[in-house]
C-alpha cells in the first residue's frame, strides 16, 4: 500500500473548516467542500443538507481524474480549474497542490470572478495546512506514536462484527 | 490510499472490483446495495451507457459499522471492463486500498480473464502499486452457468499469488459478501501494519 495515506487531525480539521466557512461567506456560495483526489470527502460548509455529498465527492474526483487524463493526452500536466455552468447553479472545481480538490457551488448571488478570486486565497491557506499535516504525520511516524493507535488492536472479531 | 480522519473518527478505504467485460462487477455492487440496510449505504452511482454497460465507474459507499470507535467506510468502485475503456480503468485504480478480481467462469471467457488480469497488473504498476503486495481476492463468478471451467483449473490459470478465492453467482448473491469481507479484512489489517 502507498505510504501516502491521508490522515486528518482535530486541530488541522478545525483550521480547514474555518477556511471553508470563510470562503463560503466571502464568495456568497451555496456550498463549498473539500475532496481528496481519490474521492473522499474531507470537509464542507454551507447548505449541504439537500446534497448527497458522498456521491458528489466521488463524481468530482472522477471528473478531475478524467480531465487529468485528457490533459496528459494533450501534453499538459493538469487542468487545475474546471467550471460547469448550469441554468441556476454553477460549480467551480480547482486542484490544490495536486492532491486536494476544492469545490464551490454558487448561483446568481455570486459570480465566477468573485469565486475565482476567493478560491485563490483559500487554496493557498489550505495548501499550507496540508503541508502541516504531512509534517505532523512524518513526525508522529518517526516517533512511533501512530503505532500505538487504534489500528494496532484491530482483531478478526472486529471485522466479523462489521459483516454481521 | 485510505483516509483516516481523527477529527470525525472515520476510516475511509477504497476497494476496486476489476475484471473483464460482463464478468459481473456491477452485479456484485448491485447485490451488496440491495442487501445492505439503508442507514449503512449511500446511493449506488452507475456511469453507464444506455445498454447498461459501465462507461466510467460504479460507486457505492458503505458504512458497515465501527471499529474501536472509528466509523469504517468502504468506497466500492467497479471499472469498465470493456477493452477500449483502458484509459478510464487506470484512473479508477488511483488511491486503491484493495482489489477484487471478478473472473468469468465460462470457458470462452478464459482468455478475457487472463487479458484483464494482465491489464490490472500493468495499470497498478503505472500507479506505483504491485498486485503482489496489495490486499487482493478473487471471485470465480457465474458458477451457475453451463460450460464453465472447473475452479481448480481457473485457480491454476489466474491465481498466481495463491490468494483466497470464492465461487460466486453474483446475480443470486452467492459469494458476494464473502468476497467483500475477505478483501475488507486484508485492507484493515494492512492499516494495522502502517498505523
Amino acid at each position: 500500500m502507498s505510504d501516502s495515506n491521508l490522515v486528518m487531525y482535530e486541530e488541522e480539521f478545525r483550521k480547514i473548516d474555518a477556511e471553508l466557512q470563510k470562503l463560503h461567506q466571502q464568495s456568497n456560495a451555496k456550498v463549498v467542500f473539500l475532496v481528496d483526489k481519490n474521492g473522499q470527502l474531507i470537509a464542507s460548509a454551507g447548505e449541504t443538507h439537500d446534497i448527497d455529498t458522498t456521491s458528489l465527492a466521488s463524481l468530482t474526483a472522477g471528473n478531475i481524474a478524467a480531465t487529468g487524463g485528457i490533459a496528459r493526452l494533450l501534453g499538459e500536466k493538469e487542468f487545475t480549474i474546471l467550471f460547469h455552468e448550469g441554468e441556476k447553479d454553477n460549480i467551480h472545481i480547482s486542484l490544490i497542490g495536486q492532491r486536494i480538490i476544492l469545490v464551490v457551488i454558487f448561483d446568481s448571488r455570486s459570480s465566477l470572478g468573485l469565486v475565482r478570486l476567493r478560491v485563490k486565497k483559500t487554496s493557498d491557506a489550505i495548501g499550507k495546512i496540508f503541508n502541516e499535516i504531512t509534517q505532523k504525520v512524518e513526525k508522529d511516524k518517526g516517533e512511533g506514536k501512530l503505532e500505538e493507535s487504534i489500528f494496532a488492536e484491530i482483531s478478526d472479531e472486529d471485522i466479523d462484527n462489521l459483516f454481521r | 490510499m485510505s483516509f483516516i480522519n481523527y477529527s470525525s473518527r472515520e476510516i475511509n478505504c477504497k476497494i476496486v472490483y476489476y475484471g473483464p467485460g460482463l464478468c459481473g462487477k456491477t452485479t456484485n455492487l448491485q447485490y451488496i446495495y440491495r442487501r445492505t440496510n439503508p442507514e449503512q449505504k449511500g446511493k449506488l452511482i452507475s456511469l453507464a451507457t444506455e445498454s447498461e454497460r459501465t462507461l466510467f465507474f460504479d460507486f457505492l459507499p458503505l458504512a458497515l459499522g465501527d471499529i474501536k470507535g472509528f466509523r469504517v467506510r468502504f468506497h466500492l468502485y467497479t471499472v469498465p471492463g470493456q477493452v477500449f475503456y483502458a484509459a478510464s480503468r487506470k484512473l479508477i485504480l488511483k488511491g486503491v486500498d484493495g482489489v477484487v478480481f471478478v473472473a468469468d467462469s465460462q470457458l470462452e471467457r478464459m482468455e478475457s480473464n487472463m487479458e484483464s488480469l494482465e491489464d490490472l497488473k500493468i495499470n497498478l504498476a503505472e500507479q506505483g502499486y504491485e498486485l503482489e503486495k496489495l490486499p487482493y481476492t478473487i471471485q470465480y463468478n457465474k458458477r451457475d452457468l453451463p460450460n464453465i471451467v472447473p475452479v481448480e483449473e481457473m485457480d491454476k490459470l489466474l491465481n498466481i499469488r495463491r490468494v483466497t478465492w470464492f465461487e460466486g453467482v453474483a446475480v443470486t448473491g452467492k459469494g458476494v459478501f464473502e468476497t467483500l469481507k475477505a478483501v475488507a479484512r486484508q485492507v484493515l489489517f494492512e492499516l494495522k501494519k502502517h498505523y
Side-chain angles (χ1 to χ4, degrees), chain A residues 143-155:
Chain A
E143 292 170 3
K145 271 188 195 163
L146 285 171
E147 280 156 35
E148 296 159 18
S149 73
I150 49 154
F151 306 108
E153 290 169 21
I154 290 180
S155 65

Side-chain angles (χ1 to χ4, degrees), chain B residues 12-155:
Chain B
N12 291 276
C13 308
K14 178 172 179 177
I15 294 171
V16 174
Y17 283 69
Y18 211 94
L22 293 175
C23 69
K25 302 174 288 293
T26 302
T27 313
N28 262 273
L29 255 64
Q30 285 167 340
Y31 184 81
I32 294 166
Y33 181 77
R34 281 203 304 275
R35 288 304 167 99
T36 315
N37 296 329
E39 68 276 11
Q40 292 182 316
K41 67 187 172 193
K43 250 187 227 144
L44 172 61
I45 288 186
S46 283
L47 302 180
T49 64
E50 278 175 14
S51 53
E52 293 192 6
R53 300 298 303 269
T54 305
L55 178 65
F56 194 6
F57 59 79
D58 304 304
F59 168 66
L60 175 60
L62 280 185
L64 295 176
D66 295 5
I67 288 186
K68 312 283 177 217
F70 273 66
R71 191 135 185 84
V72 183
R73 291 178 187 275
F74 293 108
H75 289 183
L76 311 185
Y77 285 82
T78 68
V79 297
Q82 294 178 83
V83 176
F84 56 88
Y85 289 132
S88 310
R89 270 196 296 280
K90 246 176 245 177
L91 300 176
I92 293 151
L93 284 174
K94 246 186 210 164
V96 66
D97 292 304
V99 175
V100 172
F101 186 81
V102 182
D104 191 326
S105 296
Q106 298 174 93
L107 180 60
E108 65 272 23
R109 299 297 288 163
M110 282 311 118
E111 210 168 305
S112 306
N113 287 330
M114 290 174 69
E115 260 176 41
S116 177
L117 187 62
E118 207 42 50
D119 181 65
L120 169 64
K121 278 185 203 159
I122 294 168
N123 287 337
L124 280 175
E126 276 186 32
Q127 309 279 354
Y129 296 104
E130 283 175 66
L131 183 58
E132 287 70 28
K133 290 184 184 161
L134 210 61
Y136 175 60
T137 192
I138 301 178
Q139 180 184 84
Y140 299 122
N141 194 23
K142 306 198 182 185
R143 298 310 297 171
D144 57 331
L145 295 186
N147 200 27
I148 53 172
V149 176
V151 167
E152 297 70 30
E153 240 172 81
M154 288 187 76
D155 209 46

Side-chain angles (χ1 to χ4, degrees), chain A:
Chain A
M1 193 190 286
S2 160
D3 274 335
S4 56
N5 283 345
L6 182 59
V7 174
M8 177 65 67
Y9 300 99
E10 187 78 43
E11 188 191 344
E12 282 74 17
F13 184 79
R14 274 204 220 108
K15 284 186 193 169
I16 286 170
D17 192 51
E19 286 297 333
L20 291 190
Q21 299 291 351
K22 199 160 83 184
L23 174 64
H24 174 241
Q25 282 171 3
Q26 293 184 341
S27 65
N28 275 339
K30 284 175 89 173
V31 187
V32 300
F33 59 93
L34 207 59
V35 181
D36 166 48
K37 230 180 164 184
N38 303 317
Q40 284 149 354
L41 181 71
I42 298 170
S44 62
E47 308 155 29
T48 48
H49 47 274
D50 296 337
I51 299 177
D52 177 354
T53 45
T54 312
S55 300
L56 205 56
S58 146
L59 289 171
T60 306
N63 203 338
I64 280 281
T67 314
I70 296 171
R72 279 188 295 280
L73 284 179
L74 297 178
E76 277 288 333
K77 196 172 163 203
E78 196 109 51
F79 293 122
T80 46
I81 293 176
L82 305 183
F83 175 60
H84 301 300
E85 195 176 82
E87 271 181 19
K88 279 187 288 184
D89 290 342
N90 312 298
I91 183 163
H92 183 281
I93 305 172
S94 55
L95 259 179
I96 304 176
Q98 303 294 315
R99 165 120 197 224
I100 308 294
I101 304 165
L102 177 61
V103 184
V104 181
I105 300 173
F106 64 97
D107 58 17
S108 56
R109 288 173 288 175
S110 183
S111 70
L112 179 57
L114 178 63
V115 169
R116 284 192 71 156
L117 180 73
R118 296 299 177 192
V119 159
K120 203 167 179 313
K121 280 193 171 169
T122 308
S123 298
D124 293 342
I126 287 179
K128 273 188 201 139
I129 301 171
F130 274 93
N131 286 340
E132 285 171 21
I133 295 175
T134 311
Q135 284 167 7
K136 205 165 174 177
V137 170
E138 289 306 316
K139 190 166 163 266
D140 281 3
K141 262 191 182 170
E143 292 170 3
K145 271 188 195 163
L146 285 171
E147 280 156 35
E148 296 159 18
S149 73
I150 49 154
F151 306 108
E153 290 169 21
I154 290 180
S155 65
D156 275 331
E157 204 191 335
D158 288 327
I159 292 161
D160 287 340
N161 284 336
L162 287 183
F163 285 86
R164 212 155 259 170

